[in-house]
Amino acid sequence: MRSKLPDAASSRKMAASSAVVAILASIWLCSSIAADASGSSSETTMHTNNWAVLVCTSRFWFNYRHMANTLSLYRTVKRLGIPDERIILMLADDMACNSRNKYPAQVFNNENHWLNLYGDNVEVDYRGYEVTVENFLRVLTGRHESAVPRSKRLLSDEGSHILLYMTGHGGDEFLKFQDSEELQSHDLADAVKQMKEKHRFKELLIMVDTCQAATLFNQLHSPGVLAIASSMKGENSYSHHLDSDVGVSVVDRFTFYTLAFFERLNMYDNASLSRLFNSYDPNLLMSNAYYRTDLYQPNLQEVPVTNFFGSVMETVHTDSAYRAFPQKNTPRETRIRTGNTAEDDSRRSILTDMTKAECPFTRIVSSLESKMETVGNLDSLVNYGLVMILPVLVVSVWLST
Amino acid sequence: MATANTEEEKSKSEQQKNHGGGGGFTRWAVLAVIFRLILIYFPGNLNLSSRPEVSTPLTSIRRLAEGYWLKQSSMSPYAGSMYHGSPLLLSVLGPLTVKRTILTYSVANAELKGSLVTFYADLISGILIRATGWKLQMTYRKSLKSLNLLNKSTDSGGLSSGDIAALVYLWNPFTIVACVGLSTSPVENLFTILTLYGAATGIAPLAAFGWVMATHLSLYPAILIIPVILLLGYGPDAPPSKLFRSKENGKVGDDTSSQDIIFSWGRVLHLLVWTSMWSVYVLVLCSISVKQHSSLQEMFQRTYGFILTVEDLSPNIGVLWYFFAEVFDFFRDFFLIVFHSNILFMILPLAIRLKHRPCFLAFVYIAISSMLKSYPSVGDPALYLGLLGLFLDELADMQFSFFLFCGYVGVSLLSPVMHNLWIWRGTGNANFYYATAMAYACFQIVLVVESVSSMLNHDRKLMKLSASKLQK
């Protein structure tokens, strides 16, 4: 017969072993939490909105093409769905009303002058001398003075896809800002790293159209960043053509072929990023377009360009009004597809998965509710119930007389 | 009318006797119907549905339309404190408030006018009052006969009290205004009258249904459970049981010996079972109806809670709005309790005193609650004045009847005038309007007191007569 009372030695042993187990369990728990935290990458959050930061870093009349580049991309991005409130446009803005402009208040990106880029709904957020490296970095990191209005802030969150487009004059690991400052590659990398720490983006596409643009990405480390440049180290990016009427080159090659790709698209096309990248022909560009995908996990062939260049969202249609607290999806909600593949669903799965109480009463009630929802319109049920009153009444009256 | 006919042969013989009276009734009833139809389809805008006397926060048809629109927009119908009625009424009357262009003739107001819901409700109420009156009169004559007090003079050749009551209900200007002005009070009145009819004829499920629906639509008919129980237990109105017992002591070997009035618990139990069944059914329907965007608790809060806490202080013909506009918040709850228990405290003494006349007890309860309820409208005097006509035989000697008649006419004429002076012209103030409301309350008090005292006088007269007959 075993003795019921353990002696002192065995009790100490049990205490020690339980302490070890507890420590191990806590270590495992902490590590799992840490792994979870570090591993909480873009797969667990949902893509909620799209932002675009379009920067033209040059000024003066002979840099007309840089402004035309930026305005063309602005127009494309707006056409594909990103609204003005989610576009930060930084331009020197001294071309359209320049005294040397033969076509006042008009900016073209092609010598056929088909498209006036400077229409009547261009919203420039930072213009003139406000386009500085400091402001640019403030926009990226979100560290503003309190008096800066909301329209000048990048109000992205952890579900945002951001397109960052920069054009101007650049060189080996730098980008010239308004002929007086420069943005270096480590500045950019630091800013992107801060953005990642502050969960200011889910995915970031940086597109740079300058000479030796690829060197600007040398210091980037943050995950979720896709970078594309117009030329490699040692190569220049050239302008496309000269408009003899305006007198200056009106567009750069890289941007020209990018726009050519996008002009064939509308909002509902799901052309992939790999198609965009493969459309750059080095012979036409006269430089080697370079893209960096080692920091970007999703497969480029499955990412539609509208993930960055447009604002195409998956909408969930509900019958009821917007509730304050999230609830489990009922079968009534239908999803409207906008040409996305099924693989995107897994990345866009909703994080909040409320665990239901396991009380049998609530289970019965919820099963009744689900059955009622499958019945059809609740109003018709109520109407049937009301109509049923009459025969029940007649029968009961007849029975009791 | 058909059910009452096939019940007893006596009523058939009575109908043959009163053929002239019956013809008179149908003539006047048809005239009332035609008059209502003329008023309903009157092309001009009588603007009755915007009067505070007709449309209170509980009975207004515009609020019902708003609640229906909110429900159709996937919101709770009680959002924004517009609609305070039952969700079942929304399902029934709501679709009728939506303007449709299918109809070829132009309807001046909301389509509810063209749907004649209130018209049919009034019509059915009139028919039910007539049937109740027949039943009451039959019981009255039977009890008088058993006391040997029946003589030719009590047999009026003209209209019976049921016919008069139905005509009073149909021709009452208050009823017509409530019907044409599109308030929901004719529907509530219909269910109250259905309760009384079911209880008077002894059909427990009908009475239970009427009571449950009337309480569900407006809270105050809940106190009618006591007269309904008494009606089913004791039977319709009769002289006090003392009379029958003294008669039995006086005479030996009477053939009508079944006059001993015992309280039949079976029927009351039957009624309670049916009440619980109907209330569960109504609650389930309501919970289904509000499940999507609202909850049952919100429904109770917005309907019963609204009635009990008097949230809306817009003017009406009641006396509560002015008072609660000026009472301090600290005392608000206290005075709410005072006003509502004013109704509750009168239940028990009246029930004790008038338990042999449950139908009249119901009338007194309705009159008291319509005086002291939070949002009275013009449909309430419509109801109890119609019910008053049921007791014309007993209340023939009521004092101050002419004074009350003139008072009611005067108040109903002056009240819109004072409202106009206050709101539209600005030459009066709230006191003008409240003065008519107080005068109206005074007249109601006088009516209640005088009717109760004349009923008790009638009973005393009967006792004296039967005692003198016994001594003979």
Side-chain angles (χ1 to χ4, degrees):
Chain A
M1 194 147 130
R2 233 184 268 179
S3 72
K4 292 252 164 75
L5 299 164
D7 52 2
S10 63
S11 70
R12 254 184 275 129
K13 258 192 235 169
M14 270 171 50
S17 57
S18 57
V20 165
V21 165
I23 291 172
L24 280 177
S26 60
I27 288 174
W28 174 81
L29 203 62
C30 293
S31 63
S32 70
I33 290 175
D36 213 15
S38 67
S40 75
S41 55
S42 45
E43 281 93 41
T44 54
T45 55
M46 193 171 71
H47 169 206
T48 50
N49 49 33
N50 278 29
W51 284 82
V53 180
L54 309 172
V55 185
C56 165
T57 61
S58 313
R59 62 184 302 115
F60 308 129
W61 175 245
F62 48 83
N63 290 323
Y64 187 101
R65 61 189 183 284
H66 297 142
M67 179 153 150
N69 286 350
T70 318
L71 283 175
S72 317
L73 217 66
Y74 172 77
R75 176 185 162 269
T76 302
V77 146
K78 257 178 95 160
R79 186 174 63 87
L80 292 178
I82 305 187
D84 270 318
E85 60 215 13
R86 291 207 286 272
I87 302 179
I88 308 268
L89 183 58
M90 302 174 79
L91 290 180
D93 206 13
D94 56 352
M95 314 294 174
C97 302
N98 200 310
S99 46
R100 289 156 102 170
N101 192 355
K102 189 178 162 189
Y103 298 92
Q106 291 169 30
V107 173
F108 305 110
N109 67 347
N110 201 311
E111 61 176 348
N112 52 27
H113 293 186
W114 278 355
L115 204 55
N116 171 20
L117 297 171
Y118 208 75
D120 48 3
N121 60 348
V122 171
E123 276 187 26
V124 183
D125 297 303
Y126 288 86
R127 57 161 25 101
Y129 289 109
E130 291 172 355
V131 183
T132 58
V133 174
E134 179 192 347
N135 280 349
F136 172 68
L137 292 178
R138 280 186 188 278
V139 162
L140 282 189
T141 55
R143 296 170 185 269
H144 292 284
E145 313 251 310
S146 51
V148 170
R150 279 174 72 87
S151 60
K152 283 188 167 180
R153 297 182 190 228
L154 179 66
L155 300 168
S156 55
D157 53 24
E158 72 246 11
S160 305
H161 286 185
I162 305 183
L163 165 72
L164 174 60
Y165 174 80
M166 293 194 282
T167 179
H169 291 290
D172 195 357
E173 305 219 9
F174 71 91
L175 183 60
K176 192 165 72 160
F177 259 73
Q178 305 232 331
D179 218 17
S180 59
E181 305 174 296
E182 48 186 44
L183 173 80
Q184 301 202 330
S185 58
H186 56 81
D187 293 328
L188 184 62
D190 272 345
V192 170
K193 195 165 164 193
Q194 276 191 50
M195 284 173 81
K196 192 68 199 176
E197 285 298 314
K198 291 168 79 164
H199 299 292
R200 280 168 72 78
F201 66 89
K202 181 171 180 281
E203 289 170 15
L204 175 65
L205 169 64
I206 311 181
M207 188 182 243
V208 179
D209 185 2
T210 66
C211 305
Q212 304 188 55
T215 55
L216 205 60
F217 308 138
N218 281 347
Q219 316 270 350
L220 281 179
H221 298 300
S222 317
V225 176
L226 189 58
I228 171 164
S230 60
S231 51
M232 310 269 301
K233 175 171 167 143
E235 295 174 352
N236 294 331
S237 291
Y238 294 98
S239 66
H240 189 257
H241 62 268
L242 170 75
D243 183 349
S244 38
D245 204 8
V246 175
V248 281
S249 306
V250 286
V251 70
D252 277 335
R253 285 180 183 259
F254 179 73
T255 309
F256 180 83
Y257 288 111
T258 310
L259 291 175
F261 179 83
F262 277 107
E263 284 300 309
R264 295 194 295 265
L265 291 185
N266 61 19
M267 255 201 292
Y268 303 106
D269 287 339
N270 52 356
S272 64
L273 274 179
S274 62
R275 245 182 70 192
L276 169 67
F277 295 161
N278 293 336
S279 72
Y280 296 123
D281 183 3
N283 297 326
L284 291 176
L285 283 181
M286 291 161 66
S287 60
N288 285 313
Y290 162 78
Y291 54 98
R292 183 176 173 178
T293 55
D294 56 331
L295 298 169
Y296 189 68
Q297 270 165 318
N299 188 353
L300 280 185
Q301 280 175 342
E302 289 147 15
V303 179
V305 286
T306 48
N307 261 15
F308 294 100
F309 288 89
S311 179
V312 181
M313 305 300 303
E314 176 183 345
T315 55
V316 175
H317 181 246
T318 61
D319 285 331
S320 58
Y322 189 64
R323 288 182 195 270
F325 302 104
Q327 288 195 352
K328 243 180 125 85
N329 282 342
T330 61
R332 274 185 286 124
E333 294 174 356
T334 57
R335 290 167 184 275
I336 298 177
R337 289 268 164 270
T338 48
N340 299 321
T341 60
E343 298 260 344
D344 297 342
D345 280 344
S346 54
R347 272 187 290 127
R348 293 177 188 179
S349 60
I350 299 174
L351 175 66
T352 57
D353 199 25
M354 311 282 282
T355 57
K356 272 230 296 249
E358 288 307 316
C359 169
F361 176 68
T362 50
R363 249 185 289 163
I364 294 172
V365 166
S366 56
S367 68
L368 268 176
E369 284 177 352
S370 58
K371 236 179 276 181
M372 265 199 289
E373 274 149 25
T374 56
V375 162
N377 202 1
L378 287 179
D379 284 334
S380 54
L381 196 65
V382 173
N383 290 343
Y384 287 145
L386 285 172
V387 166
M388 276 285 297
I389 288 180
L390 208 55
V392 172
L393 196 63
V394 166
V395 164
S396 60
V397 165
W398 178 73
L399 278 178
S400 56
T401 49
Chain B
M1 290 199 304
T3 50
N5 258 342
T6 53
E7 263 182 16
E8 314 259 335
E9 309 112 357
K10 265 192 185 173
S11 65
K12 231 189 213 170
S13 59
E14 271 184 346
Q15 204 201 9
Q16 283 166 6
K17 243 188 285 177
N18 291 344
H19 182 63
F25 170 73
T26 35
R27 215 183 320 143
W28 281 106
V30 165
L31 270 178
V33 164
I34 292 175
F35 182 58
R36 269 160 204 266
L37 282 175
I38 290 174
L39 274 184
I40 286 176
Y41 286 111
F42 187 64
N45 191 10
L46 291 169
N47 212 14
L48 283 175
S49 53
S50 55
R51 303 220 70 89
E53 293 93 354
V54 176
S55 72
T56 63
L58 297 174
T59 59
S60 166
I61 200 69
R62 303 212 176 145
R63 288 179 181 245
L64 194 140
E66 171 93 15
Y68 182 69
W69 182 85
L70 282 172
K71 190 166 163 191
Q72 296 299 102
S73 317
S74 303
M75 280 190 274
S76 157
Y78 300 109
S81 179
M82 269 304 265
Y83 180 62
H84 295 283
S86 149
L88 302 180
L89 211 60
L90 269 188
S91 311
V92 172
L93 291 181
L96 303 172
T97 57
V98 177
K99 275 205 182 108
R100 280 189 296 218
T101 52
I102 309 175
L103 295 174
T104 51
Y105 57 88
S106 64
V107 177
N109 252 341
E111 197 182 294
L112 190 60
K113 210 184 206 180
S115 309
L116 302 176
V117 168
T118 48
F119 171 72
Y120 287 131
D122 274 344
L123 206 58
I124 300 176
S125 309
I127 295 170
L128 288 174
I129 288 184
R130 187 174 191 222
T132 316
W134 272 4
K135 185 80 174 131
L136 282 177
Q137 198 171 40
M138 257 178 353
T139 327
Y140 183 54
R141 293 162 81 82
K142 211 167 40 165
S143 55
L144 280 188
K145 202 170 184 190
S146 69
L147 291 174
N148 290 333
L149 291 173
L150 194 65
N151 49 8
K152 266 296 181 189
S153 63
T154 55
D155 187 11
S156 58
L159 300 169
S160 66
S161 63
D163 296 342
I164 296 180
L167 283 179
V168 164
Y169 185 78
L170 287 174
W171 274 104
N172 194 352
F174 293 136
T175 334
I176 295 179
V177 163
C179 172
V180 175
L182 298 175
S183 71
T184 60
S185 41
V187 180
E188 298 169 13
N189 293 349
L190 167 67
F191 284 116
T192 316
I193 292 170
L194 187 69
T195 315
L196 291 179
Y197 171 71
T201 47
I203 306 174
L206 201 62
F209 174 67
W211 183 79
V212 163
M213 287 306 294
T215 312
H216 176 67
L217 288 178
S218 65
L219 179 59
Y220 292 93
I223 55 178
L224 290 178
I225 189 71
I226 293 174
V228 163
I229 289 179
L230 289 174
L231 265 173
L232 282 175
Y234 284 128
D237 289 10
S241 47
K242 292 194 272 205
L243 282 176
F244 299 111
R245 263 182 267 130
S246 63
K247 183 192 75 74
E248 276 188 5
N249 290 338
K251 278 195 178 167
V252 177
D254 204 45
D255 52 348
T256 57
S257 59
S258 59
Q259 290 301 314
D260 203 12
I261 299 175
I262 42 170
F263 193 77
S264 73
W265 286 104
R267 298 205 325 184
V268 172
L269 220 58
H270 202 199
L271 170 81
L272 289 176
V273 163
W274 274 106
T275 313
S276 46
M277 273 177 49
W278 282 119
S279 42
V280 162
Y281 187 73
V282 165
L283 276 178
V284 162
L285 271 187
C286 283
S287 61
I288 296 176
S289 174
V290 299
K291 195 183 78 71
Q292 251 182 327
H293 311 294
S294 170
S295 65
L296 212 58
Q297 189 218 5
E298 192 195 3
M299 184 194 97
F300 280 123
Q301 201 185 355
R302 292 301 179 118
T303 53
Y304 291 170
F306 177 77
I307 294 175
L308 289 175
T309 55
V310 191
E311 286 168 3
D312 190 313
L313 294 178
S314 45
N316 46 52
I317 51 172
V319 292
L320 267 77
W321 57 276
Y322 192 92
F323 187 80
F324 280 104
E326 58 184 14
V327 79
F328 288 119
D329 273 339
F330 184 74
F331 297 104
R332 193 189 159 88
D333 293 332
F334 168 68
F335 280 112
L336 278 174
I337 297 175
V338 163
F339 270 95
H340 288 300
S341 49
N342 215 351
I343 305 177
L344 293 174
F345 284 161
M346 293 211 218
I347 294 182
L348 194 60
L350 281 170
I352 294 175
R353 194 68 184 84
L354 288 172
K355 66 176 183 301
H356 55 284
R357 294 193 178 273
C359 226
F360 184 69
L361 183 67
F363 158 73
V364 175
Y365 280 170
I366 292 173
I368 289 175
S369 69
S370 77
M371 186 167 61
L372 293 169
K373 71 189 324 196
S374 355
Y375 298 100
S377 75
V378 88
D380 305 312
L383 179 62
Y384 67 72
L385 287 178
L387 290 179
L388 182 66
L390 287 175
F391 309 104
L392 279 182
D393 292 330
E394 293 96 338
L395 296 179
D397 294 330
M398 192 165 91
Q399 278 182 312
F400 302 132
S401 46
F402 183 67
F403 169 68
L404 283 173
F405 175 73
C406 294
Y408 267 85
V409 167
V411 164
S412 52
L413 288 176
L414 274 181
S415 165
V417 170
M418 295 302 167
H419 187 255
N420 191 345
L421 278 183
W422 172 30
I423 303 273
W424 296 109
R425 290 172 195 270
T427 52
N429 55 31
N431 299 321
F432 285 51
Y433 189 66
Y434 193 58
T436 56
M438 282 202 291
Y440 176 62
C442 285
F443 287 125
Q444 282 178 305
I445 294 173
V446 171
L447 174 71
V448 167
V449 168
E450 284 308 314
S451 57
V452 170
S453 64
S454 67
M455 181 64 83
L456 296 176
N457 279 340
H458 178 80
D459 283 339
R460 279 187 214 115
K461 208 171 58 174
L462 278 181
M463 284 214 335
K464 245 189 284 186
L465 273 177
S466 90
S468 64
K469 273 234 165 119
L470 279 176
Q471 280 171 359
K472 273 188 202 152

